[in-house]
Amino acid sequence: MDTRKHIEVCFSPYLFPLHKEEYEIVVVIDVLRATSAICAAFDNGVKAVIPVATIEEARSYQEQGYLVGAERGGQIVEGFDFGNSPYSYMNDDLKDQEVVLSTTNGTKAIDLAKDAETVVIGSLLNLDALCEWLVEQDKNILCLCSGWQNKFNLEDTICAGAITEHLINTGKFKSDEDSSIAAKYLYLSAKDNYMGYLKSSSHRRRLKNLNLNEDIKYCLTPNQSSVIPVLKDGKLVNIKNSK
Amino acid sequence: MDTRKHIEVCFSPYLFPLHKEEYEIVVVIDVLRATSAICAAFDNGVKAVIPVATIEEARSYQEQGYLVGAERGGQIVEGFDFGNSPYSYMNDDLKDQEVVLSTTNGTKAIDLAKDAETVVIGSLLNLDALCEWLVEQDKNILCLCSGWQNKFNLEDTICAGAITEHLINTGKFKSDEDSSIAAKYLYLSAKDNYMGYLKSSSHRRRLKNLNLNEDIKYCLTPNQSSVIPVLKDGKLVNIKNSK
């Protein structure tokens, strides 16, 4: 009997309703930049990140005195403390704080996934630590790529493909969906040079136009962190210590 | 000024509403097997193929005396003359006939695309002839992959990637969407061995289980045909002579 668990990839929040099979764990991925920023935040001692889908919710938290990040279309929304640049979270003022975050794609994907048994944050930054933790859980896993405005994007898919490849190589997981197989192929052709591979990707061009090249380099450098941010009662908390 | 036209890829009918930009030409692709069967039909002298989305429509044509093919889940629907095997169309009885076809994914994608200025049928079978014809048109093009039950599939994406790569290489086209870039990458890694590359794909496994290996080999062998099937008043007709 085949006792291997599933590791599958959903390319965008828009496609999530088609993936109705039972997955106990959903890995939400938004490499540029929400889930990378969340990993950076925990690495820098943030106590919790409260992801909210709308600007209205973000504003309501702000009125209660929270530090609130809000990004739309790659830029900080006027009136908020920061956006989704990982560098914004490398700040002593945020240590031991609960911060609120709303972004164009990433926090919407978290909201969509919230009914899963476990929602965990994935990025290239915490890739190896996350894979190791996922193997320990021994559950069926769906990687949910945040995409760009509901469309497929390359960097999230490559990260999902990296997770898929790592887990399949343990012999304890399998992929049935063509999306998972494609993600794995794309990862394998990208892995030796993420920056070069993604140079023509739409979101990289979008951020480059906003002078965010440092952010891109940071987000595309794997394994700088070993945090495992998990959603508990509407808040993301780190269940593994940072490096 | 950049006067290049767009060649972009939409991974599945479900995602079609997100691709709202102006495309004058939609190339509908269902490699396994609807659009391959349609090319085979024209190569064998069929006069027109009337694509219908539902079994009810197919039955209504049958009652009017048409030859009707209907496939669901890879198999011929009971009571119909044939399904979507290309070999069904290599039959002298079909010469100069108008035949009706309804399939799980392909004819639904044609129905979805029907409001475009031009709807043309793409497969690996007519790849080079189609690319040459598309370049002559000098229009913005969207490749619409039929997918599998609204999900991404590998073989349609690779065919779309082949078209994208060919057209970009002429210098007259460009791709902006990450889906188009990914399709191109997947094609480039698949092109030397389609059968091997697709061996783990979900639909290939599905058809192999139905003993349709000969169909698969036929559909994955490029450039056996030079037909250009285009939708005119609800009927597909061949606007280029077969080889």
Side-chain angles (χ1 to χ4, degrees):
Chain A
M1 210 183 86
D2 188 350
T3 58
R4 290 174 299 170
K5 303 292 179 183
H6 277 273
I7 170 75
E8 306 288 356
V9 177
C10 173
F11 283 154
S12 94
Y14 193 78
L15 292 164
F16 189 63
L18 300 178
H19 292 262
K20 283 183 187 150
E21 297 84 340
E22 285 298 309
Y23 298 104
E24 292 93 358
I25 300 179
V26 176
V27 181
V28 177
I29 299 169
D30 186 3
V31 167
L32 296 176
R33 297 170 286 163
T35 60
S36 302
I38 290 166
C39 291
F42 285 111
D43 249 354
N44 288 278
V46 165
K47 188 177 156 198
V49 177
I50 304 173
V52 300
T54 68
I55 294 293
E56 292 64 41
E57 289 167 272
R59 222 177 291 278
S60 139
Y61 273 101
Q62 202 176 33
E63 285 160 9
Q64 295 168 53
Y66 282 86
L67 282 166
V68 180
E71 167 271 352
R72 288 294 182 275
Q75 297 185 283
I76 300 175
V77 180
E78 210 185 308
F80 287 94
D81 304 307
F82 39 84
N84 61 357
S85 167
Y87 289 104
S88 307
Y89 297 83
M90 300 172 193
N91 176 342
D92 279 348
D93 294 350
L94 300 187
K95 266 209 161 76
D96 300 318
Q97 299 287 312
E98 295 194 339
V99 302
V100 175
L101 181 62
S102 180
T103 74
T104 312
N105 307 294
T107 58
K108 283 184 194 162
I110 295 169
D111 189 56
L112 201 63
K114 66 177 185 287
D115 294 330
E117 194 179 299
T118 304
V119 176
V120 62
I121 295 301
S123 70
L124 290 171
L125 299 179
N126 68 339
L127 182 61
D128 283 355
L130 175 64
C131 289
E132 193 182 315
W133 182 83
L134 288 170
V135 173
E136 287 166 13
Q137 310 311 303
D138 190 32
K139 300 278 174 83
N140 293 298
I141 301 166
L142 181 69
C143 293
L144 173 57
C145 299
S146 299
W148 179 256
Q149 295 180 337
N150 276 322
K151 284 182 180 174
F152 171 93
N153 88 23
L154 211 42
E155 64 276 10
D156 294 346
T157 305
I158 285 166
C159 181
I163 296 169
T164 304
E165 168 75 359
H166 280 63
L167 266 56
I168 284 180
N169 284 346
T170 65
K172 296 174 182 168
F173 291 86
K174 64 177 174 181
S175 294
D176 275 355
E177 302 276 349
D178 273 15
S179 50
S180 319
I181 297 165
K184 212 181 63 175
Y185 278 134
L186 290 168
Y187 160 70
L188 290 174
S189 53
K191 72 186 169 93
D192 295 325
N193 180 7
Y194 292 117
M195 289 290 282
Y197 196 82
L198 291 169
K199 72 176 186 294
S200 58
S201 85
S202 60
H203 197 50
R204 233 204 98 184
R205 271 182 281 128
R206 202 175 292 119
L207 294 184
K208 209 177 161 194
N209 292 341
L210 297 169
N211 286 318
L212 296 171
N213 229 1
E214 283 308 306
D215 274 28
I216 299 170
K217 272 188 211 159
Y218 181 82
C219 296
L220 297 183
T221 305
N223 300 320
Q224 302 180 65
S225 167
S226 57
V227 298
I228 307 291
V230 164
L231 194 64
K232 302 250 186 218
D233 303 322
K235 294 177 182 180
L236 292 164
V237 292
N238 179 20
I239 59 167
K240 287 237 175 164
N241 290 330
S242 58
K243 270 183 188 171
Chain B
M1 208 183 88
D2 189 351
T3 59
R4 291 175 298 171
K5 304 292 181 184
H6 278 273
I7 170 75
E8 306 288 356
V9 177
C10 173
F11 284 155
S12 93
Y14 193 79
L15 291 164
F16 189 64
L18 300 178
H19 291 263
K20 283 184 185 149
E21 297 82 339
E22 286 297 311
Y23 298 103
E24 292 92 358
I25 300 179
V26 176
V27 182
V28 177
I29 300 169
D30 186 2
V31 168
L32 295 176
R33 297 169 287 167
T35 62
S36 301
I38 291 166
C39 290
F42 286 111
D43 249 355
N44 287 278
V46 165
K47 188 176 157 198
V49 176
I50 303 172
V52 301
T54 68
I55 294 293
E56 291 64 41
E57 289 167 272
R59 222 176 293 276
S60 139
Y61 273 102
Q62 200 176 34
E63 285 161 8
Q64 295 168 52
Y66 281 86
L67 282 167
V68 180
E71 167 271 352
R72 288 294 181 276
Q75 297 186 285
I76 300 175
V77 180
E78 210 185 308
F80 287 94
D81 303 306
F82 40 83
N84 62 357
S85 168
Y87 289 105
S88 307
Y89 298 83
M90 300 173 193
N91 176 341
D92 280 347
D93 293 350
L94 301 187
K95 268 210 159 77
D96 301 318
Q97 298 287 311
E98 295 194 341
V99 302
V100 175
L101 180 62
S102 181
T103 74
T104 313
N105 308 293
T107 59
K108 283 182 195 164
I110 295 169
D111 189 56
L112 201 62
K114 66 177 185 288
D115 295 330
E117 195 179 298
T118 304
V119 176
V120 62
I121 295 301
S123 70
L124 290 171
L125 300 179
N126 68 340
L127 182 61
D128 283 355
L130 175 64
C131 288
E132 193 182 316
W133 182 83
L134 289 170
V135 173
E136 287 165 13
Q137 309 311 303
D138 191 31
K139 300 278 174 83
N140 293 297
I141 301 165
L142 182 69
C143 294
L144 173 57
C145 299
S146 300
W148 179 256
Q149 295 179 338
N150 276 322
K151 284 182 179 173
F152 171 94
N153 87 23
L154 211 42
E155 64 276 10
D156 293 348
T157 305
I158 284 167
C159 181
I163 296 168
T164 304
E165 167 75 359
H166 280 63
L167 265 54
I168 284 180
N169 283 347
T170 65
K172 296 175 182 167
F173 291 85
K174 64 176 173 182
S175 294
D176 275 355
E177 303 275 348
D178 274 15
S179 51
S180 319
I181 298 166
K184 212 181 63 177
Y185 279 133
L186 290 167
Y187 160 69
L188 290 173
S189 53
K191 72 186 169 90
D192 295 325
N193 180 6
Y194 292 118
M195 288 292 279
Y197 196 82
L198 291 169
K199 71 175 187 295
S200 58
S201 85
S202 60
H203 197 51
R204 233 204 99 183
R205 270 181 281 129
R206 202 175 292 120
L207 294 184
K208 209 177 163 193
N209 292 340
L210 298 169
N211 285 320
L212 296 171
N213 230 1
E214 283 307 306
D215 274 27
I216 299 170
K217 272 188 211 162
Y218 181 82
C219 295
L220 297 183
T221 306
N223 300 320
Q224 301 180 67
S225 166
S226 57
V227 299
I228 307 290
V230 164
L231 194 65
K232 301 249 186 218
D233 304 321
K235 295 178 183 179
L236 292 164
V237 293
N238 179 19
I239 59 167
K240 286 237 175 163
N241 290 331
S242 58
K243 270 182 186 170

